[in-house]
Amino acid sequence: MEMAFTVRLLLLLISSFFVVPIFVFSQTDGKVAVGAFLSATAGNNSSWLSPSGDFAFGFRQLENKDLFLLSIWYAKIPDRTIVWYANGDTPALAPQGSLVNLTANDGIVLTSPQGEEFWKSETSVGVVAFGVLNDTGNFVLEDGNSESLWETFKNLTHTMLPGQDIEKGGKLSSQQSETNYSKGRFQLRMQDDGNLVLNTINLPTDFANPSYYASKTTGDLNSSTAGTKLEFNSSGYVYVLRENGEKFNLKEAETVSARSYYLRATLNFDGVFALYYYPKSSTGNVSWSVVWSLPDNICSMGVDSGLGVCGYNSICTLKADKRPTCECPRGYSLLDQNDPYGNCKPNFVQNCDADELNSTKDQYEVQVLKNTDWPTSDYMQLYPFTADGCNASCFEDCMCAVAIYRVETCWKKKLPLSNGRVDSALNSLAFIKVGKRNATLQVPHLPSPDDGKKKKKLNTLMPVESTLLVTSGFVNFLLIAAVCLGFFFIFRKNHERCTQNDLDINLHSFSFQELQEATNRFEEELGRGSFGVVYKGKIEIGSGVEVTVKKLNSVIQDSEKEFKTEVNVIGRTHHKNLVHLVGYCDEAQQRLLVYEFLSNGTLASFLFGDTKPSWRQRIEIAYGVAQGLLYLHEQCSTQIIHCDIKPQNILLDDYHNARISDFGLAKLLMMNQSKTHTVIRGTKGYVAPEWFRNMHITTKVDVYSFGVLLLEIICCRRSIDMENNSDERAILTDWVYDCYREGVLECVVDNEVEALNEKSKLERFVMVALWCIQEDPSLRPTMRTVVRMLEGVVEVRIPPCPSPYSRIG
Ligand SMILES: *[C@@H]1O[C@H](CO)[C@@H](O)[C@H](O)[C@H]1NC(C)=O
Ligand SMILES: *[C@@H]1O[C@H](CO)[C@@H](O)[C@H](O)[C@H]1NC(C)=O
Ligand SMILES: *[C@@H]1O[C@H](CO)[C@@H](O)[C@H](O)[C@H]1NC(C)=O
Ligand SMILES: *[C@@H]1O[C@H](CO)[C@@H](O)[C@H](O)[C@H]1NC(C)=O
Ligand SMILES: *[C@@H]1O[C@H](CO)[C@@H](O)[C@H](O)[C@H]1NC(C)=O
């Protein structure tokens, strides 16, 4: 194992001998001192309380599991409803014996019993003096000047509390199910255009479908009625605050006093956003009641808004409390018995082969349902038609699964059916064909990886369009890779998803000969990089798909397993700002990677070419790179540190979206490299100073490189440019800081009108970049914070001088 890790572990073990465990802090002012900690112990819900004792912060054991969720809950009511949990979309589930500490530099830190870090709060700047759990339910980390460095109110999960608001770009995310806190399919988003929307996303991606509720507070062109944020004020009103100060109440409803009731607004796992109340001084059997909820009928969600609450072939019914239930039609049953909101599968075989063998009459019976509809999935509409005719037409059609009859029209539909609902206003009939016999075991033929190899059929291939060009930085990268060897660590956030049993799930394994043919015997060379040579190729699928093939030189000799593991880690990443890995070849000494081909070249040629790209395009690219890095650092199942972020490694697709390439290679290449690293010392480029200082290498090295890249994007010039600049301008980072300090930002964009029209954004971007290039890694924000700061969701403080140690004067 890595040395650094072992040392950490040792320290932790040693320290644990001397620390007397104190689990319950009987504080009265809600304050938590730096150094305080809680431990996840079964049957012992240790927590920190707010002054009134209304809220608690600590570990909560999950039902029937030996896992604990770091969360905030109502401490005085029996069901101890959770209002916040750590790490939002991918909640940090901690095993028994995990610890949460309050530290001065990293804020709240959650570690496993082995000392592995699961999660920490992102106090990007400043030193924590203490934490305080406010009676509002907000856990705040403050610095010595009582300034808030981090708070749970700004790290949204599924619930809003009085006093909390959601700024533009912010969102609530539903949990997966009543008991599973993983990211669910529903979101409440305060959009940049001022509109508050509810929408579904198509997991596992973040692809957002059109909304199923919208506040329509985008405002008019000429007035200032656009929404600015969603507020839940301390008297219990929830409204979109408009620019002109007016309030748009989400629901006009009688109010409940926040004085005598607990109030919370929660986006439920079934997509219903509701305001709840609970009497503070309750006796006996009370539970949460609903003040109002949105949308009015979630079952009648529009078909373009995604699948709806219930799975395929399921039927949604709205209960009296405006919450949905899902039910499979007769003859169908749940695919997953534990997920009542999931898909339903037919218990019988329905296909035209089966129909041919037996006469249809013996096969099916018809079930008639009133006022039930699946508004999509129809392949034929018959008009005018009779109900009987509709029934018969479907019965005799081996394609037809169900027919809906309404106002003389018959819609014939095939499986899978989606967005099923019951609605008395429909006034319709549904004729469902139900197989009389249950299916005998008929497992559909699933292609094995070998099939794919023989037929060259790449089902998982996306339509591919792109280039891989890697030019400079050869020496640098090799050295970095070498240094990496000692320090680099990848910690697995989610062990289950990364076991080696499920290798090759998405990736195609090519033979060397196949790639030789695909590249026409490595004919067209696209570039040379630190890892080897890049060739253009074409794989024969249908009309042929263009790819780039990277021939890695001298990677890992005897570690086939590691190669596969790392390649699969890369292959498992899916994000719109990353270049997709299509497959690999691992044959004898030949190690090759096959990527999609991107047509618009590198960011380097785009930025430093003859024509200056527009400010707008550059801004979008900067966002894109930041999002891609955030994904690599925090959102893919295995954390990936890039180690070599620079404009040559950012590619542009057809729409000039930024796509990061070569991620994961640092780990791949360093596995069997020797370590000499004296040459990089002193080079000012994209390389973070800790590389030279024998310091622990973390994701913050990428943040540093991103900062340099961001400045290059803003200024459209290289980070080091001796040729076209005087001495004081040659080093971009120093020069920009000087311009910033002197308040002459128009210099850095060369008086570009478009940029100056957005002076505040320009200033924000420069400030973010200056935070990223801080010499002290702990001062640099995480990519998550960077993204938020770029979006303007989080305020950017005045950055200190990035390199106080190495600058003179
Ligand atoms: C909870 O932890 C405290 C402190 O270690 C201990 O005294 C107490 O017995 C524990 N309670 C349970 C139910 O385990
Ligand atoms: C809770 O936080 C709010 C806003 O930061 C503050 O006004 C209030 O005084 C705090 N209450 C307590 C009890 O600390
Ligand atoms: C929650 O759901 C996710 C996705 O379906 C699953 O991977 C995970 O194992 C579940 N977690 C628990 C604790 O059941
Ligand atoms: C909350 O909003 C309501 C409705 O606009 C208003 O009447 C009330 O005074 C507000 N309360 C606070 C504390 O601002
Ligand atoms: C058919 O299968 C379903 C689900 O597997 C089961 O509930 C039902 O009892 C079966 N019916 C018959 C007739 O075997």
Side-chain angles (χ1 to χ4, degrees):
M1 258 260 124
E2 291 83 353
M3 191 179 69
F5 178 69
T6 318
V7 170
R8 256 154 48 88
L9 187 66
L10 214 66
L11 282 175
L12 200 97
L13 282 176
I14 292 168
S15 62
S16 62
F17 282 115
F18 300 104
V19 178
V20 183
I22 310 163
F23 294 110
V24 182
F25 286 75
S26 53
Q27 80 282 50
T28 48
D29 54 359
K31 281 197 181 178
V32 179
V34 165
F37 69 93
L38 297 169
S39 145
T41 320
N44 213 339
N45 285 300
S46 57
S47 58
W48 295 322
L49 293 175
S50 73
S52 64
D54 281 342
F55 288 95
F57 174 100
F59 288 108
R60 278 283 296 276
Q61 186 166 12
L62 296 185
E63 243 174 82
N64 309 323
K65 293 221 163 57
D66 255 350
L67 291 173
F68 294 77
L69 185 66
L70 187 61
S71 49
I72 295 178
W73 62 88
Y74 291 97
K76 284 184 179 167
I77 67 181
D79 73 351
R80 301 188 304 149
T81 315
I82 288 177
V83 295
W84 179 89
Y85 42 91
N87 209 24
D89 290 347
T90 44
L93 294 180
Q96 171 126 293
S98 299
L99 289 178
V100 62
N101 290 52
L102 185 61
T103 69
N105 290 323
D106 291 330
I108 307 166
V109 181
L110 176 61
T111 48
S112 76
Q114 288 76 35
E116 252 180 301
E117 216 170 71
F118 280 135
W119 174 81
K120 63 185 173 196
S121 60
E122 279 149 9
T123 44
S124 52
V125 283
V127 172
V128 177
F130 59 89
V132 58
L133 181 56
N134 195 317
D135 274 334
T136 53
N138 190 11
F139 193 79
V140 187
L141 301 181
E142 294 187 8
D143 67 10
N145 307 319
S146 301
E147 294 242 1
S148 152
L149 298 174
W150 183 89
E151 47 193 284
T152 54
F153 269 19
K154 297 241 157 79
N155 289 266
L156 301 167
T157 55
H158 60 7
T159 292
M160 271 180 101
L161 295 172
Q164 192 171 3
D165 47 30
I166 302 185
E167 309 270 351
K168 281 182 184 177
K171 63 166 194 284
L172 299 182
S173 223
S174 72
Q175 59 189 58
Q176 183 113 74
S177 69
E178 210 135 25
T179 52
N180 187 331
Y181 288 85
S182 292
K183 177 160 78 170
R185 288 194 293 125
F186 301 93
Q187 295 182 331
L188 173 83
R189 286 189 298 144
M190 187 68 214
Q191 294 185 160
D192 288 339
D193 64 3
N195 211 359
L196 179 81
V197 300
L198 285 164
N199 63 266
T200 63
I201 55 172
N202 295 343
L203 290 173
T205 67
D206 269 333
F207 181 84
N209 293 302
S211 63
Y212 59 92
Y213 163 85
S215 64
K216 305 200 177 83
T217 45
T218 44
D220 307 322
L221 213 53
N222 301 316
S223 66
S224 50
T225 54
T228 56
K229 59 179 170 178
L230 178 66
E231 263 187 6
F232 190 170
N233 84 5
S234 52
S235 345
Y237 290 80
V238 185
Y239 48 81
V240 174
L241 187 66
R242 298 183 192 267
E243 274 167 17
N244 60 10
E246 282 174 15
K247 298 170 176 175
F248 171 81
N249 287 322
L250 295 194
K251 275 274 179 164
E252 297 300 343
E254 74 272 34
T255 54
V256 177
S257 152
R259 216 177 280 275
S260 11
Y261 293 92
Y262 293 120
L263 292 174
R264 68 182 165 96
T266 299
L267 178 60
N268 290 294
F269 70 94
D270 55 18
V272 175
F273 181 58
L275 178 63
Y276 293 93
Y277 67 98
Y278 190 107
K280 281 188 179 170
S281 53
S282 59
T283 46
N285 217 355
V286 281
S287 58
W288 288 98
S289 312
V290 176
V291 185
W292 52 255
S293 67
L294 289 173
D296 288 330
N297 182 352
I298 194 153
C299 289
S300 60
M301 182 185 290
V303 293
D304 58 351
S305 295
L307 173 55
V309 189
C310 304
Y312 288 105
N313 304 331
S314 185
I315 305 170
C316 180
T317 310
L318 202 65
K319 293 183 292 182
D321 63 358
K322 300 264 184 106
R323 302 283 294 275
T325 54
C326 302
E327 200 182 5
C328 297
R330 191 155 65 83
Y332 288 68
S333 55
L334 284 174
L335 200 54
D336 175 359
Q337 289 300 328
N338 299 319
D339 182 10
Y341 295 82
N343 300 327
C344 302
K345 62 171 174 23
N347 297 332
F348 50 92
V349 183
Q350 198 216 354
N351 61 41
C352 290
D353 289 347
D355 281 15
E356 244 171 50
L357 288 175
N358 309 285
S359 81
T360 316
K361 265 210 176 75
D362 305 335
Q363 286 263 84
Y364 302 106
E365 55 196 16
V366 172
Q367 190 195 359
V368 184
L369 293 175
K370 278 196 179 146
N371 298 329
T372 302
D373 191 12
W374 288 273
T376 56
S377 321
D378 39 302
Y379 62 92
M380 188 188 276
Q381 186 175 348
L382 303 163
Y383 175 87
F385 225 56
T386 61
D388 286 344
C390 187
N391 186 357
S393 173
C394 182
F395 192 74
E396 283 152 19
D397 182 346
C398 67
M399 298 284 178
C400 186
V402 60
I404 306 290
Y405 183 76
R406 191 157 55 91
V407 284
E408 284 185 60
T409 313
C410 177
W411 287 271
K412 295 207 288 185
K413 297 171 188 268
K414 57 189 171 9
L415 297 181
L417 306 163
S418 70
N419 301 80
R421 78 269 315 259
V422 175
D423 187 343
S424 57
L426 284 170
N427 212 0
S428 66
L429 290 174
F431 303 104
I432 310 177
K433 277 159 77 177
V434 181
K436 282 182 185 164
R437 272 182 296 271
N438 266 358
T440 47
L441 258 186
Q442 268 194 332
V443 182
H445 175 71
L446 297 173
S448 73
D450 280 347
D451 287 1
K453 231 181 244 173
K454 280 177 212 126
K455 294 180 200 143
K456 284 192 191 169
K457 197 157 120 205
L458 302 179
N459 295 336
T460 50
L461 255 186
M462 317 226 160
V464 178
E465 349 89 56
S466 68
T467 276
L468 246 307
L469 278 173
V470 183
T471 46
S472 75
F474 177 78
V475 178
N476 252 8
F477 185 74
L478 215 66
L479 287 164
I480 293 170
V483 181
C484 256
L485 182 61
F487 307 99
F488 202 95
F489 72 103
I490 280 191
F491 83 75
R492 307 248 136 114
K493 279 186 196 163
N494 188 334
H495 296 264
E496 299 95 307
R497 271 193 276 169
C498 289
T499 52
Q500 295 184 356
N501 304 333
D502 49 12
L503 288 184
D504 296 344
I505 279 185
N506 291 311
L507 287 179
H508 188 78
S509 159
F510 292 91
S511 71
F512 186 67
Q513 192 179 347
E514 275 175 309
L515 293 184
Q516 223 168 7
E517 283 164 21
T519 55
N520 206 3
R521 307 198 82 74
F522 302 103
E523 186 184 51
E524 190 179 342
E525 187 177 313
L526 292 174
R528 276 168 188 267
S530 33
F531 42 77
V533 190
V534 189
Y535 303 92
K536 191 165 172 186
K538 197 172 197 179
I539 311 178
E540 300 305 325
I541 334 165
S543 54
V545 171
E546 287 184 313
V547 293
T548 47
V549 176
K550 285 190 182 189
K551 212 168 167 185
L552 306 177
N553 40 18
S554 66
V555 210
I556 342 150
Q557 299 303 317
D558 314 307
S559 47
E560 203 171 313
K561 212 158 105 187
E562 277 101 328
F563 178 79
K564 282 220 169 133
T565 309
E566 289 320 314
V567 164
N568 269 280
V569 167
I570 302 171
R572 256 154 226 284
T573 55
H574 286 288
H575 190 272
K576 64 177 193 303
N577 298 113
L578 300 180
V579 176
H580 293 299
L581 181 66
V582 172
Y584 63 96
C585 163
D586 180 20
E587 219 176 78
Q589 296 303 311
Q590 301 293 353
R591 299 263 160 81
L592 299 96
L593 296 176
V594 182
Y595 289 93
E596 62 176 324
F597 177 81
L598 294 178
S599 55
N600 266 326
T602 68
L603 178 59
S605 54
F606 186 66
L607 282 183
F608 315 132
D610 296 334
T611 49
K612 188 172 180 174
S614 76
W615 169 248
R616 183 119 300 281
Q617 268 180 321
R618 275 145 54 210
I619 292 293
E620 289 306 318
I621 288 171
Y623 281 136
V625 178
Q627 299 276 7
L629 271 178
L630 170 61
Y631 174 86
L632 290 175
H633 288 180
E634 293 186 16
Q635 293 165 349
C636 57
S637 50
T638 303
Q639 185 183 55
I640 296 175
I641 305 178
H642 191 295
C643 288
D644 197 23
I645 287 292
K646 59 186 179 189
Q648 290 81 5
N649 280 341
I650 312 293
L651 304 177
L652 300 174
D653 67 14
D654 286 354
Y655 309 101
H656 287 96
N657 291 319
R659 308 271 292 266
I660 300 173
S661 80
D662 281 4
F663 53 89
L665 292 191
K667 172 92 172 165
L668 241 185
L669 289 167
M670 84 198 171
M671 282 195 228
N672 204 12
Q673 302 274 356
S674 64
K675 21 182 164 176
T676 36
H677 56 94
T678 44
V679 190
I680 6 175
R681 197 182 294 269
T683 318
K684 269 211 166 191
Y686 308 90
V687 181
E690 55 265 38
W691 287 111
F692 316 118
R693 295 202 181 133
N694 207 20
M695 281 164 83
H696 201 64
I697 297 303
T698 67
T699 51
K700 294 289 179 73
V701 299
D702 286 348
V703 175
Y704 184 93
S705 308
F706 175 78
V708 179
L709 181 79
L710 182 55
L711 290 181
E712 293 185 319
I713 293 175
I714 295 168
C715 308
C716 260
R717 54 151 283 195
R718 292 176 198 278
S719 66
I720 298 174
D721 191 349
M722 304 287 187
E723 279 170 35
N724 304 316
N725 291 292
S726 54
D727 277 355
E728 73 265 22
R729 290 179 154 219
I731 296 184
L732 181 63
T733 50
D734 293 352
W735 174 58
V736 172
Y737 181 67
D738 291 342
C739 292
Y740 169 76
R741 209 182 38 186
E742 284 155 27
V744 286
L745 277 185
E746 51 283 2
C747 292
V748 306
V749 286
D750 204 10
N751 291 308
E752 186 181 357
V753 177
E754 219 189 330
L756 294 182
N757 282 342
E758 295 192 303
K759 193 87 188 279
S760 65
K761 185 181 271 182
L762 169 64
E763 189 177 11
R764 190 165 81 231
F765 271 51
V766 169
M767 284 161 78
V768 172
L770 292 173
W771 275 114
C772 291
I773 57 170
Q774 291 295 316
E775 228 163 78
D776 177 355
S778 68
L779 287 179
R780 291 174 217 150
T782 62
M783 281 316 293
R784 182 177 290 269
T785 309
V786 168
V787 167
R788 287 185 190 156
M789 292 198 292
L790 290 178
E791 284 171 344
V793 180
V794 169
E795 193 196 341
V796 193
R797 288 162 198 237
I798 293 172
C801 175
S803 43
Y805 315 115
S806 55
R807 275 166 72 97
I808 307 151

